[in-house]
C-alpha cells in the first residue's frame, strides 16, 4: 500500500463519533463551559448575600452608629427576681396616683436589682407619710385601727375585701402575691392604707412555713436585710411592714433589731401584730429609734360571726379605756362581712377609725410601751 493510500481511511474503518452534549472528551473540551456556569452561580449568590446585608443595615442601622432605626419591644422576663411582675407591669420611674392617692413617687424610690426600694427623699419626705391615709387629727374620740392581713394570696378574698370594706380599714399584703402591685394599686385607689407582711421564722418552723425569703433567727443580719429588701422591692405605695408569723424571730433582739433599723432608715413604720407574748420589738425599736405600733388583739381566732362580734366589742372597750386600739384580722369571708358591717356604724357609736400610721409611736415616745401594747399579749392567738 502506498503512502497516499495509507493516509485515507478505509471504508470499513469506524468514523470517530462526536461526544454527546455534556460528555467530556479526552482533551476536556466541554469542561470550561460547565466551570463558567458554576462561576456565574457563585457570583450571583455573593451579590444576593451582599444585597441582603445592605438591606439589614438600612433597616436596623450599623453597629458603629449605635442608633438602630427599628426597635423591637419585647416583654421583660418575669422570672425569680421579679415574681410579682412589678418591674414588667408597672413603671416606678414616674409619679403614679389612683383616684388621687399616691402609689409611686420617684423621689421616694431607689432602684435595685430586684425592684424599687423605698427611701427617704432628699427633701426629708418619707414613704410612711407620703402613702399614709389622711385622717382628722383633731378628732378627740377614741381611735380604732383595723388591719386585714393575708391579702393577695386568694384572689376571691382579696376582691371581697376591696368591694366590702371601707377605706378606713388598713390592708396588709403578702410580698409573694402573684399580682401584688396590681392589688396595691386597687387598694390605694379605694383609699386604703397599705402595709407589707414580712415572712419571719415561727417557733415551729419549718412545720409552719411563712413563705419564701423568710427572715431566720440563725441567719446573719446581712442575709436577713437582703431578704427584707427582696420583700420591700415587690411593690410601691405602702407605709410600712408587719410580721407574718415570726414568734421565734421577734423574740430575739439580735435578730429583729437590725431589721427595725433598716426599716426605719427607709422611712417606713413597723407594725407588730401583737400575736406573740415573747416579742421584743418594742425594746428593739427604742434602741434604733424606729416608729412602731402594736396590735391590741386578734379579732377572728374563732371564725364565727358571734365570736368576731364579741372581739369587736372588746376592742371598743380597750379603745375607750386607753384612747386607742388596733384590731388584727385575716381575710376570711366571715371576717370581712362582720368588720364591714361593724365599721359602717363605728362613727355613730363614737369611734374614730384611723390608719395604723396615725398610731405608730415616734421614737421619742417609746420610753414606755403604749397602752395598746400592754393588752397585746393577753389577746395572743
Amino acid at each position: 500500500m502506498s503512502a497516499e493510500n495509507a493516509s485515507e481511511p478505509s471504508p470499513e474503518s469506524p468514523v470517530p463519533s462526536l461526544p454527546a452534549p455534556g460528555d467530556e472528551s479526552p482533551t476536556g473540551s466541554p469542561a470550561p463551559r460547565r466551570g463558567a456556569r458554576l462561576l456565574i452561580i457563585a457570583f450571583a449568590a455573593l451579590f444576593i448575600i451582599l444585597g441582603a446585608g445592605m438591606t439589614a443595615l438600612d433597616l436596623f442601622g450599623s453597629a458603629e452608629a449605635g442608633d438602630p432605626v427599628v426597635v423591637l419591644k419585647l416583654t421583660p422576663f418575669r422570672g425569680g427576681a421579679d415574681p410579682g411582675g412589678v418591674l414588667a407591669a408597672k413603671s416606678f420611674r414616674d409619679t403614679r396616683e389612683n383616684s388621687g392617692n399616691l402609689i409611686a413617687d420617684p423621689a421616694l424610690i431607689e432602684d435595685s436589682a430586684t425592684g424599687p426600694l423605698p427611701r427617704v427623699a432628699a427633701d426629708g419626705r418619707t414613704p410612711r407619710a407620703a402613702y399614709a391615709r389622711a385622717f382628722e387629727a383633731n378628732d378627740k374620740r377614741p381611735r380604732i385601727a383595723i388591719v386585714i392581713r393575708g391579702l393577695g394570696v386568694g384572689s376571691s378574698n382579696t376582691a371581697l375585701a376591696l368591694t366590702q370594706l371601707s377605706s378606713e380599714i388598713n390592708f396588709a399584703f403578702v410580698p409573694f402575691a402573684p399580682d401584688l402591685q396590681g392589688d396595691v394599686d386597687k387598694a390605694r385607689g379605694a383609699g386604703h392604707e397599705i402595709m407589707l407582711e414580712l415572712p419571719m421564722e415561727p417557733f415551729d418552723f419549718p412545720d409552719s412555713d411563712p413563705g419564701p425569703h423568710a427572715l431566720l433567727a440563725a441567719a446573719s443580719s446581712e442575709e436577713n436585710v437582703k431578704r427584707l429588701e427582696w420583700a420591700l422591692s415587690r411593690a410601691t405605695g405602702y407605709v410600712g411592714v408587719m410580721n407574718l408569723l415570726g414568734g421565734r424571730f421577734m423574740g430575739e433582739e439580735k435578730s429583729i433589731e437590725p431589721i427595725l433599723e433598716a426599716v426605719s432608715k427607709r422611712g417606713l413604720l413597723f407594725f407588730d401584730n401583737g400575736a406573740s407574748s415573747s416579742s421584743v420589738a418594742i425594746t428593739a425599736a427604742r434602741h434604733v429609734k424606729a416608729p412602731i405600733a402594736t396590735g391590741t388583739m386578734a379579732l377572728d381566732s374563732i371564725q364565727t360571726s358571734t365570736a368576731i362580734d364579741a372581739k369587736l366589742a372588746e376592742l371598743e372597750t380597750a379603745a375607750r379605756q386607753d384612747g386607742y386600739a388596733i384590731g388584727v384580722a385575716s381575710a376570711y369571708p366571715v371576717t370581712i362581712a362582720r368588720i364591714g358591717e361593724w365599721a359602717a356604724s363605728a362613727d355613730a357609736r363614737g369611734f374614730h377609725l384611723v390608719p395604723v400610721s396615725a398610731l405608730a409611736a415616734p421614737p421619742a415616745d417609746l420610753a414606755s410601751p403604749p397602752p395598746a401594747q400592754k393588752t397585746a399579749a393577753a389577746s395572743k392567738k
Side-chain angles (χ1 to χ4, degrees):
M1 181 179 296
S2 67
E4 183 180 354
N5 294 335
S7 63
E8 296 179 3
S10 167
E12 291 82 7
S13 300
V15 179
S17 61
L18 294 174
D23 288 349
E24 293 187 6
S25 68
T27 60
S29 57
R33 298 178 184 176
R34 184 176 183 183
R37 285 196 299 272
L38 292 175
L39 187 60
I40 291 171
I41 293 172
F43 274 110
L46 178 60
F47 281 119
I48 291 172
I49 292 172
L50 290 174
M54 293 177 68
T55 302
L57 287 175
D58 184 56
L59 287 174
F60 298 105
S62 68
E64 183 178 357
D67 187 18
V69 176
V70 176
V71 178
L72 300 179
K73 296 183 178 180
L74 303 178
T75 302
F77 172 68
R78 299 176 69 163
D82 186 32
V86 60
L87 301 181
K90 304 293 179 184
S91 169
F92 55 87
R93 293 178 176 85
D94 299 312
T95 300
R96 290 195 304 115
E97 295 182 348
N98 191 354
S99 300
N101 298 305
L102 187 65
I103 299 170
D105 182 343
L108 300 170
I109 293 171
E110 171 190 326
D111 272 347
S112 77
T114 56
L117 287 171
R119 69 176 178 187
V120 178
D123 60 6
R125 289 181 300 128
T126 63
R128 72 172 176 269
Y131 302 130
R133 179 176 71 81
F135 73 103
E136 180 50 64
N138 294 324
D139 193 322
K140 302 303 182 183
R141 294 177 298 169
R143 296 178 175 181
I144 293 180
I146 302 288
V147 178
I148 300 294
R149 55 161 301 276
L151 291 165
V153 177
S155 58
S156 59
N157 287 355
T158 301
L160 194 65
L162 283 166
T163 56
Q164 293 195 11
L165 294 176
S166 63
S167 61
E168 290 86 359
I169 306 301
N170 301 265
F171 282 3
F173 290 89
V174 296
F176 40 82
D179 186 25
L180 177 59
Q181 188 66 69
D183 289 337
V184 170
D185 286 5
K186 293 174 186 176
R188 288 293 294 141
H192 299 276
E193 185 169 284
I194 309 299
M195 292 185 290
L196 295 184
E197 291 190 81
L198 288 181
M200 296 182 181
E201 181 181 354
F203 285 112
D204 57 348
F205 181 79
D207 292 336
S208 291
D209 185 359
H213 300 275
L215 309 185
L216 304 175
S220 67
S221 59
E222 293 81 6
E223 174 62 24
N224 280 327
V225 168
K226 287 181 182 178
R227 296 180 178 214
L228 164 69
E229 290 180 347
W230 176 87
L232 297 181
S233 69
R234 299 301 87 205
T236 64
Y238 53 90
V239 299
V241 296
M242 66 178 287
N243 58 300
L244 172 56
L245 298 181
R248 182 185 299 280
F249 190 86
M250 298 271 287
E252 297 194 16
E253 194 171 323
K254 65 178 180 61
S255 297
I256 189 63
E257 189 169 301
I259 298 302
L260 295 184
E261 183 176 20
V263 166
S264 178
K265 284 183 176 179
R266 292 198 172 276
L268 304 171
L269 65 84
F270 184 82
F271 176 61
D272 179 348
N273 67 14
S276 176
S277 59
S278 63
S279 173
V280 295
I282 195 70
T283 301
R286 192 181 305 118
H287 291 166
V288 297
K289 298 179 172 57
I292 190 170
T294 302
T296 305
M297 64 183 67
L299 301 175
D300 58 350
S301 297
I302 302 174
Q303 296 152 31
T304 65
S305 297
T306 301
I308 293 170
D309 290 346
K311 279 295 184 181
L312 287 168
E314 287 184 36
L315 192 70
E316 291 182 0
T317 299
R320 288 193 184 96
Q321 176 183 333
D322 299 328
Y324 65 94
I326 306 177
V328 183
S330 298
Y332 300 120
V334 63
T335 302
I336 293 170
R338 297 317 304 153
I339 289 178
E341 184 174 330
W342 171 87
S345 58
D347 183 78
R349 292 196 308 279
F351 296 99
H352 187 197
L353 297 185
V354 298
V356 169
S357 60
L359 301 178
D365 295 340
L366 294 178
S368 60
Q373 296 175 4
K374 296 177 182 177
T375 60
S379 302
K380 178 184 174 184
K381 283 188 178 181

